[in-house]
Amino acid sequence: MTSLRILRPDDWHLHVRDGAQLASVVPFTARQFARAIIMPNLKPPVTTVAMAAAYRDRILAALPAGSRFEPLMTLYLTDTTAPQEIRAAQASGFIFGAKLYPAGATTHSDAGVTAIEKIYPALEAMAECGLVFQVHGEVTDGEVDVFDRERVFIDRILTKVVERFKSLRIVFEHVTTREAVQFVQGARRGVAATITPQHLLLNRNAIFQGGIRPHNYCLPVLKREHDRQALIEAATAEDARFFLGTDSAPHARHSKETCCGSAGIFSAHAAIELYAEAFERAGRLDRLQAFASERGADFYGLPRNSDHIVLERAAWSPPAAYPFDKDELVPFRAGEQLAWRMIEERRA
Ligand code: DOR
Ligand code: ZN
């Protein structure tokens, strides 16, 4: 196959930061995707409807002229998120979920949730009004191995929440393990998962390839090859529970290439191309549209997009760096070859 035309995709998990950094990165996503679920882990975090409205305005203002990209906003759950705030979020029309960051789990999670019981009133309200619960599924207990944190989260927390709040719609974000795939496959209706391009393309060897590779470090950290294979099988199966969420997470080069580097991989510059590569290797390019453009919209209860994008088989290399406010950021697969390239659909 040398060219592939699919319905325009959406990104169901994205970090675009704020201020001048936002202006540097959001055009990459707006070029490929119609919509994206915008993560709320700013400093300070987006904890109220008013903050989400203001952030949405800043995103819209940062878009290239003529862009029709639509940011789908989320709230950042804290120990004190009030059920009224949840109901106001659902009523807003522009907020589509609320995100659990276990305190200390990842970038800007220090204001996150310290014990799951603290958000039971918020979850109750979400289950009632239909706001989607987005989960960073890792425990933070220092005694749990970093490679086991997702698996232990399923056993200690997620199983309990899925059972207790039977009508709560849950997205287990950026799943990375075979156990997470199996959990979602066996879960009740209303439980789904997003999968990133890096977790489909790489295993944890990529963090240590000939030396330490900070640009392949994200959270949840890359896992074993058998986990990667389980993710490929899930993404390419005829299973509506698994859909696209890049978790593209830009950091300035100096905060990655340092003695305590930040977690996050920037993939927005080549997101759909990276997924196309993973699906092609699995011999399942025919399922890319379902994964990228159908299942997420269906899960969130939004219409699928009606316009298309075209991917061409044409080798290209992402540059060594892109501008990022006054800094630069190193994109995923910088300087390496990619097999596919998105082109604007030629209009007749
Ligand atoms: O690698 C990550 N980066 N994982 C997260 O959960 C957060 C993200 C970020 O915001 O940089
Ligand atoms: Zn994320």
Side-chain angles (χ1 to χ4, degrees):
M1 200 181 287
T2 58
S3 138
L4 180 64
R5 181 174 180 268
I6 60 169
L7 282 180
R8 185 174 295 279
D10 302 301
D11 186 348
W12 299 99
H13 184 129
L14 178 69
H15 301 266
V16 290
R17 313 306 187 205
D18 207 349
Q21 294 185 340
L22 162 64
S24 302
V25 295
V26 77
F28 289 103
T29 295
R31 177 177 170 262
Q32 299 199 337
F33 297 98
R35 301 168 288 201
I37 286 279
I38 306 295
M39 286 295 133
N41 62 333
L42 303 183
K43 273 210 128 107
V46 180
T47 52
T48 65
V49 175
M51 291 172 93
Y55 186 28
R56 179 172 178 275
D57 288 344
R58 296 196 296 279
I59 296 170
L60 293 173
L63 290 173
S67 172
R68 302 211 312 265
F69 175 76
E70 198 187 333
L72 310 175
M73 308 309 291
T74 61
L75 290 190
Y76 183 113
L77 292 167
T78 71
D79 286 354
T80 58
T81 301
Q84 303 91 279
E85 199 68 38
I86 294 295
R87 284 189 282 269
Q90 171 65 20
S92 73
F94 57 84
I95 297 175
F96 293 84
K99 173 83 186 261
L100 166 63
Y101 285 105
T106 186
T107 307
H108 299 167
S109 64
D110 35 303
V113 175
T114 61
I116 193 70
E117 293 76 17
K118 305 254 189 195
I119 58 166
Y120 280 179
L123 294 182
E124 192 68 57
M126 290 168 72
E128 270 167 34
C129 72
L131 195 68
V132 172
F133 181 41
Q134 296 138 343
V135 178
H136 182 110
E138 289 191 289
V139 295
T140 54
D141 182 339
E143 278 156 33
V144 178
D145 192 282
V146 68
F147 294 100
D148 294 333
R149 287 181 178 186
E150 185 175 272
R151 195 169 52 69
V152 174
F153 182 89
I154 296 169
D155 296 342
R156 287 193 195 161
I157 296 172
L158 195 53
T159 307
K160 219 163 59 179
V161 170
V162 169
E163 268 303 298
R164 187 182 180 106
F165 301 96
K166 290 203 164 28
S167 62
L168 183 62
R169 286 188 301 144
I170 302 175
V171 181
F172 193 174
E173 300 290 348
H174 42 54
V175 287
T176 65
T177 56
R178 180 171 290 272
E179 288 86 349
V181 165
Q182 287 168 348
F183 175 80
V184 172
Q185 285 167 339
R188 62 156 170 79
R189 267 174 69 86
V191 178
T194 55
I195 307 181
T196 77
Q198 64 266 23
H199 292 101
L200 290 175
L201 289 166
L202 303 178
N203 63 36
R204 64 192 192 178
N205 290 342
I207 310 168
F208 309 105
Q209 197 96 53
I212 190 119
R213 302 283 189 142
H215 299 293
N216 287 338
Y217 173 58
C218 64
L219 286 170
V221 72
L222 295 170
K223 300 298 191 305
R224 291 172 179 273
E225 178 60 13
H226 82 248
D227 295 305
R228 192 189 70 81
Q229 281 170 15
L231 296 172
I232 289 281
E233 282 160 29
T236 62
E238 224 165 345
D239 187 336
R241 295 163 177 271
F242 297 94
F243 48 84
L244 184 156
T246 62
D247 199 15
S248 179
H251 290 273
R253 178 199 284 276
H254 64 79
S255 70
K256 296 283 292 173
E257 298 176 6
T258 178
C259 63
C260 187
S262 304
I265 294 178
F266 178 74
S267 60
H269 63 300
I272 196 65
E273 292 91 339
L274 292 162
Y275 285 108
E277 187 170 316
F279 275 65
E280 181 176 45
R281 281 195 208 150
R284 289 257 62 129
L285 270 177
D286 60 316
R287 299 257 167 89
L288 182 64
Q289 172 171 297
F291 176 80
S293 319
E294 297 176 4
R295 299 174 192 160
D298 296 352
F299 184 85
Y300 275 89
L302 294 169
R304 295 176 184 174
N305 300 312
S306 51
D307 62 330
H308 292 77
I309 62 164
V310 176
L311 286 154
E312 273 186 353
R313 170 177 280 298
W316 66 290
S317 294
Y322 287 110
F324 188 49
D325 186 12
K326 293 181 191 64
D327 295 301
E328 54 180 24
L329 69 83
V330 177
F332 189 46
R333 303 276 289 275
E336 291 173 37
Q337 234 183 44
L338 300 183
W340 290 88
R341 173 154 229 171
M342 191 196 110
I343 54 167
E344 301 302 330
E345 187 174 18
R346 285 183 212 95
R347 306 205 186 266

